[in-house]
Structures are given as C-alpha cells and as structure tokens.
Amino acid sequence: MINTALNSFGAQVVLATSSDENHPPENIIDGKTETFWLSTGMFPQEFMIRFPDNMKVSLISMHSFNIKQLRIEKSTVEEADKFEVIAEKEFEHTESSLQTNDVSLDGSHATHLRFLILSGYDHFVSVHKIGIQA
C-alpha cells in the first residue's frame, strides 16, 4: 500500500508546537525512522499534516518514542478550523526501542490530520515516522 503521508506525495507538516533545528517537524513525513521530530517538553504537544487533496484514511502507523496518550483529529475543510476526534490511544512504554502503533480507522476522508500528544513517559517525546494508508 502507498503511504500518502510522505512529503513526496505532497503532504506537509503545517503546524508543530515545538521545533528543534536539528530535528524539525518535516522529519515526520520523510519516510525514514532514523530522522525525527523532537518536542521541547511540556504537554500537550501537537503537529498537523495537510494533504494536497481530500484523502481516504483507513490506517495510521506511527513510530515514536516516549508518547503515552495520543488523540488524532481530522478536518475535511481547506481552512482546518473545525476538527473531529477520530481516535484516542494510550501507547505502551518501551525502554530502548521505538513505539510502533497502528490506528485503524473507518476509511473516512480528511484534508488535515491533527495529532495531539496529551502526555508522555518523559518530558520529551519524538515522532520518527507517520504512515497513512487509504
């Protein structure tokens, strides 16, 4: 299946609550787990991915570190001012490896996905890769 959350498919990170010049938010959608976005502490943290078109979303895969609680919301309008919660998940803590979590959805459509990291297992969290399948 094709990962539509890649920058090579036109996806963009249009908002992130924190940014480190060595670990920018754009690393989330470069398709690599070696690069990542790093939060700068405090919760909640959030980032938003915008698609070039209204996309069908059936499965979201996330590779991360130290995330405890995550909420995912979608918007179907261009301005992204109205969001609907589509998933909430608590991640298991991993000591020395990445958290890999899949969130199955109903195949609804979205122009924007907002990821709200509500809490973490430490002050800092990282998101290495987001995969989205239709």
Side-chain angles (χ1 to χ4, degrees):
M1 290 196 172
I2 295 175
N3 178 4
T4 57
L6 292 175
N7 52 13
S8 58
F9 284 100
Q12 296 178 313
V13 177
V14 293
L15 177 132
T17 51
S18 58
S19 185
D20 177 309
E21 66 183 36
N22 295 319
H23 306 288
E26 293 77 25
N27 287 349
I28 295 169
I29 57 172
D30 67 3
K32 305 173 194 170
T33 55
E34 301 81 28
T35 59
F36 54 91
W37 168 69
L38 182 66
S39 74
T40 54
M42 302 292 288
F43 293 100
Q45 292 284 324
E46 81 176 76
F47 61 92
M48 188 184 317
I49 297 174
R50 181 177 65 202
F51 303 107
D53 296 305
N54 199 349
M55 304 291 291
K56 182 178 178 183
V57 179
S58 296
L59 179 72
I60 298 173
S61 299
M62 186 171 190
H63 299 269
S64 58
F65 195 69
N66 278 334
I67 293 176
K68 185 173 184 180
Q69 275 188 293
L70 175 74
R71 177 184 305 143
I72 303 172
E73 301 174 347
K74 74 170 187 170
S75 174
T76 56
V77 295
E78 188 68 29
E79 295 79 35
D81 57 355
K82 296 178 183 157
F83 285 89
E84 171 188 343
V85 175
I86 56 173
E88 290 197 38
K89 186 160 182 152
E90 186 159 325
F91 292 1
E92 288 186 36
H93 187 236
T94 57
E95 285 295 324
S96 59
S97 62
L98 289 180
Q99 298 164 306
T100 303
N101 288 278
D102 290 337
V103 179
S104 294
L105 302 171
D106 61 1
S108 61
H109 287 76
T111 54
H112 295 80
L113 288 177
R114 179 164 59 183
F115 294 78
L116 294 150
I117 302 165
L118 303 174
S119 63
Y121 289 102
D122 198 347
H123 297 291
F124 301 94
V125 300
S126 61
V127 177
H128 294 250
K129 181 178 168 184
I130 296 285
I132 298 172
Q133 297 176 0

